[in-house]
Amino acid sequence: MNTPEDVSGVSEEQSMQLVTAIKDYQLTHGNLIKWVQSEGVTRVPSVGVGVSALPTPFPRSLFDEAWQLQASMNELYVRIASDEDWLYGVLKPLFDHDDFLAALWDVHVTVKTAGVAQDIVCGIFRSDYMLHQPSTRESVSLKQVEVNTLCVAGACHAERVAGMHRHLQRKRDVRKPAEEQGAERLPVNDNIEQLVITLCKAHDAYTASPFVQRCVLMIVQAHNFNVADERPIEYGLWDSGIPCYRCEWQEVLQRTTLTASRKLLYRVNEAGVQAELEVSVVYYRAGYTADEYTEHEGRETRLRLELSCAIKCPDVLTHLTTFKAVQQALTEEGAVERFLSADDAHRVRATFMPIVKVDKVAEGQLFREIATDPRQASHFVLKPNLEGGGNNVYGTKIPDFLASIPDEQWSKYILMRLIVPPGDTSGVLMMMEELYEGPVISELGVLGSVVWKKEEGSEVEVVRNVAAGWTFKTKPSHVDEMNVVKGYGCFDCPKLAA
Amino acid sequence: MNTPEDVSGVSEEQSMQLVTAIKDYQLTHGNLIKWVQSEGVTRVPSVGVGVSALPTPFPRSLFDEAWQLQASMNELYVRIASDEDWLYGVLKPLFDHDDFLAALWDVHVTVKTAGVAQDIVCGIFRSDYMLHQPSTRESVSLKQVEVNTLCVAGACHAERVAGMHRHLQRKRDVRKPAEEQGAERLPVNDNIEQLVITLCKAHDAYTASPFVQRCVLMIVQAHNFNVADERPIEYGLWDSGIPCYRCEWQEVLQRTTLTASRKLLYRVNEAGVQAELEVSVVYYRAGYTADEYTEHEGRETRLRLELSCAIKCPDVLTHLTTFKAVQQALTEEGAVERFLSADDAHRVRATFMPIVKVDKVAEGQLFREIATDPRQASHFVLKPNLEGGGNNVYGTKIPDFLASIPDEQWSKYILMRLIVPPGDTSGVLMMMEELYEGPVISELGVLGSVVWKKEEGSEVEVVRNVAAGWTFKTKPSHVDEMNVVKGYGCFDCPKLAA
């Protein structure tokens, strides 16, 4: 059993001391969820986000592999976002059944028709992986769960939890000689600084009118319980001398103006200051759910932002790469190879699980087979084409679910072969109501930071392309979903081992 | 009216935006109170501590005066704590009526009899001031409310709130030219680092056995809702490479051992580590209330810590200087002059308000007069001799209160002439349930950091003596008490003005 070494023989008293130390660390470091439903005028309660009580073992070589893959992963998605034809080919079949996707594509077409006002694009991506070992005879490998190319969340919480585990580790190491100390097994995390640097680079790349004050505009959802994962980036930008304002998605139309030269102006209306600033970077932390794209205001909101010459993080074409249909299309022969060198393509492809979709004849056949046979279905997860998660259907539940919806809706889903994590990893998790100790499954996310310039055709000049940090989440093995802020799973820190 | 300049003409929408920004800043910076009564195994809710929404004006010259006074104030209390005869003379008359005081003195006597094992003492003090202007014809001066010489709280919250106001200020200044920006009117606050440095200095001054791991032991109260004011100091010590452990007052006897050579050993019993460390510094954040000194365990707890050769922050004699009887005695002729140079004594004495006590014949007469005449009483506050606050009786309520207790209890109190703050300062405060805007009164605390060595007789060698930071609290003028964590008043930041 691959166990966090320090848990064995922990007494009740010791574990209470540990969880108290953790709760206090979370409280003093803003590793918290805001109880927006209990918000008063002057006070709002908050509570710790789910975290592991001990770091969970993870193979160092595979952590390093994921990290080293990120530059290729970044490049892959940048190139997809620049290859309109390929992307159109992948997404077009879905437009009839997916209003959201169609609306986003419309935004792209409208912007293109108007002429692209900004050729620089910024991306903060995250590629998620799990460990895969279908049988004990095989070695453990890294398999990709999904790629997120907008509204990437969890970076701030991940940094706090990494800091917390480093603190707890140095306490455990207090009497150990240097060579036995565990801190170096916990990878450093400076996500917040890295994301701030990314936005700074984009901000600096924006050519403003002379003497005009620029700002980064963070587009956020109203009443967000997860502000602790957004605010630190805002503070970091101010610390770097760059004004950053939060603008709620619903207020964009009212608070911004698109000038004739397509500059985006933001009207600050805060106590003590009324001013109009030129937006250098639109940083999306909203606009990723279908229900934000209401017929008029919602679509107009995205359109205004995209039409502007502000640098988007990311633009709508890059947003469109985050759909599962793209992930599926990349599994097809030659797809990755279209965008990357043979070597890079090979390394990236090695992390893919097979994905089946309904709308090709042969695969449609296979999809139908799997969809109606619980035995076959047990090896798959059914994922909605839309980015996000939280609406997956697992294994044997798939046939009943697909039977419950009209056949023409099937194309909104892909079937991905389930990753089979090693069954021998144990962890200690502070779940919502209880301390869980038992078998666990972890998910490693590697953050990517990219700034690129679109050129003729589908060419790009990549100005910046680095791995910018990591997130790590762990859940009890018997729980299907991994969504920490909603109570499934916990933020965690890998304990790297040979 | 002395108004935070930015509040005028603030719309409802703007003030909501401001309080939201503040609530989120508090949440992400641990400027919070823990709801210990709702604590679960894995989660504990917390809520923001009371803070001002805008920094409150304060005269720069008086802020500077208080800062510059601190070295003298530190020296005064160090010298009192070293002058056992003088202190005995002041406190002895109270022993019969005050078990707590008598118990503390007993601890001192027992330690003295055993022989002092450690001649180095550490102090973290705080001298509190209010502005005084009895009539508009007189200029505003600085008057001392009290001095705290142990368990000084509020330093961490003060730093967070100062940081918050700097952040909000730079947002207000976004379009202002450098010379009009307000940030330099908000004094810098690095309380936490300064307190950590203080404890590091003490730690370094402790001579440990060779090859033995030392630690700072923070003695804390159980179930403290105000951990956010303690934990950052612990983290700061670890960051400085010094192990720091929290030990609850009730667990000291069980978790520590006093060796034959009077070393204090602390048994760490946490997940993953069982070890015994030598305590270099005992840092008290508990042991300041009478009810902690239970007949056997409570007194034995303090005695064990004081008998040890750990450096105490502070030792029991220094603790004894924090009582109001000492503050009163210092107002008597020649008292301050006994300890400080004429110049320093003059400057310190200028901040004193008249204090009347019951146990001297002439003053006893005066005490009785005031105590029975509401008109005279209206100019006084009745304070229990014990450190702390929260049990003061104000003005016209004094006669009825004194009539309700036996005469022999009167000696537990002093009568201090009320400081009369200027009536023209207005502020905006986020009280428990509502946003208050109106006349306010502020209290400035200056932190002192001292390390000294006791020498022959009442001589001392002061190794370190600096002003180490500040706290600033503001309350609506109509509220008598100032106790932020209990919901009276708010942490604030002075906006320094000529």
Side-chain angles (χ1 to χ4, degrees), chain A residues 367-399:
Chain A
F367 196 105
R368 257 161 221 288
E369 264 178 48
I370 295 165
T372 50
D373 176 359
R375 200 181 46 83
Q376 279 201 65
S378 69
H379 300 297
F380 286 85
V381 51
L382 184 78
K383 295 187 177 194
N385 184 44
L386 301 180
E387 187 274 337
N391 298 301
N392 296 343
V393 180
Y394 289 86
T396 52
K397 291 179 196 144
I398 294 172

Side-chain angles (χ1 to χ4, degrees), chain A residues 71-148:
Chain A
S72 302
M73 212 59 84
N74 288 340
E75 190 183 341
L76 174 61
Y77 278 80
V78 164
R79 293 196 181 278
I80 296 172
S82 309
D83 193 338
E84 188 192 338
D85 293 343
W86 186 87
L87 201 53
Y88 184 73
V90 171
L91 299 177
K92 166 110 195 10
L94 301 171
F95 289 166
D96 285 347
H97 299 299
D98 202 321
D99 288 349
F100 178 27
L101 200 58
L104 289 177
W105 191 265
D106 277 352
V107 169
H108 160 64
V109 170
T110 310
V111 173
K112 192 182 170 192
T113 307
V116 173
Q118 177 59 263
D119 56 2
I120 297 169
V121 187
C122 178
I124 292 171
F125 302 159
R126 198 189 67 229
S127 179
D128 291 333
Y129 306 93
M130 281 166 55
L131 298 178
H132 183 57
Q133 191 183 31
S135 79
T136 49
R137 278 163 295 129
E138 291 168 73
S139 64
V140 180
S141 64
L142 202 62
K143 291 295 176 187
Q144 189 175 64
V145 179
E146 65 179 10
V147 174
N148 294 291

Side-chain angles (χ1 to χ4, degrees), chain A residues 13-14 17 23-24 34 39-40 42-43 46 170 174-175 213 231 239 255 269 276 431-432, chain B residues 13-14 17 23-24 34 39-40 42 46 48 170 174-175 213 231 239 255 269 276 431-432:
Chain A
E13 181 193 344
Q14 287 171 338
Q17 206 161 29
K23 285 181 282 188
D24 285 1
K34 185 171 165 181
E39 183 153 6
T42 58
R43 297 278 185 286
S46 58
R170 66 188 175 184
V174 72
R175 294 299 295 271
Q213 178 69 290
R231 289 283 193 183
D239 287 343
R255 292 207 174 278
N269 181 28
E276 209 164 44
M431 303 297 289
M432 282 283 215
Chain B
E13 181 194 344
Q14 287 171 338
Q17 205 161 31
K23 285 182 282 189
D24 285 0
K34 185 172 164 180
E39 184 155 6
T42 58
S46 58
R170 66 188 175 182
V174 71
R175 293 299 295 268
Q213 178 70 289
R231 289 284 192 180
D239 287 343
R255 293 208 173 278
N269 180 31
E276 208 164 47
M431 303 297 289
M432 282 284 215

Side-chain angles (χ1 to χ4, degrees), chain B residues 196-217:
Chain B
V196 168
I197 290 173
T198 306
L199 295 167
C200 285
K201 296 275 181 201
H203 176 84
D204 291 344
Y206 179 84
T207 313
S209 321
F211 309 114
V212 162
Q213 178 70 289
R214 294 165 296 161
C215 70
V216 171
L217 197 61

Side-chain angles (χ1 to χ4, degrees), chain A residues 291-303:
Chain A
D291 59 9
E292 291 171 288
Y293 290 82
T294 52
E295 192 70 45
H296 298 293
E297 286 79 2
R299 294 178 185 196
E300 183 64 24
T301 294
R302 185 65 187 260
L303 186 61

Side-chain angles (χ1 to χ4, degrees), chain B residues 414-490:
Chain B
I414 57 146
L415 275 169
M416 182 172 164
R417 184 133 188 131
L418 274 171
I419 299 171
V420 184
D424 64 351
T425 303
S426 166
V428 186
L429 305 177
M430 287 169 68
M431 303 297 289
M432 282 284 215
E433 303 294 339
E434 41 144 39
L435 197 62
Y436 168 87
E437 192 178 334
V440 295
I441 296 171
S442 297
E443 189 174 300
L444 172 68
V446 178
L447 296 171
S449 158
V450 215
V451 178
W452 70 97
K453 195 170 168 185
K454 301 184 203 187
E455 300 197 329
E456 281 295 297
S458 62
E459 285 307 296
V460 292
E461 182 198 343
V462 179
V463 179
R464 175 186 171 81
N465 175 6
V466 295
W470 53 268
T471 63
F472 192 69
K473 301 170 194 169
T474 299
K475 64 182 179 66
S477 297
H478 64 272
V479 173
D480 283 330
E481 287 289 343
M482 179 81 87
N483 190 326
V484 179
V485 293
K486 290 187 179 165
Y488 304 104
C490 292

Side-chain angles (χ1 to χ4, degrees), chain A residues 166-202:
Chain A
R166 288 187 88 79
H167 173 63
L168 297 170
Q169 186 63 44
R170 66 188 175 184
K171 291 186 79 176
R172 283 193 289 275
D173 286 344
V174 72
R175 294 299 295 271
K176 289 188 188 157
E179 65 276 16
E180 286 175 31
Q181 294 187 1
E184 63 141 277
R185 294 178 57 188
L186 308 180
V188 169
N189 190 310
D190 59 353
N191 286 353
I192 298 168
E193 188 185 343
Q194 293 303 321
L195 296 201
V196 168
I197 289 173
T198 306
L199 295 167
C200 286
K201 296 273 181 203

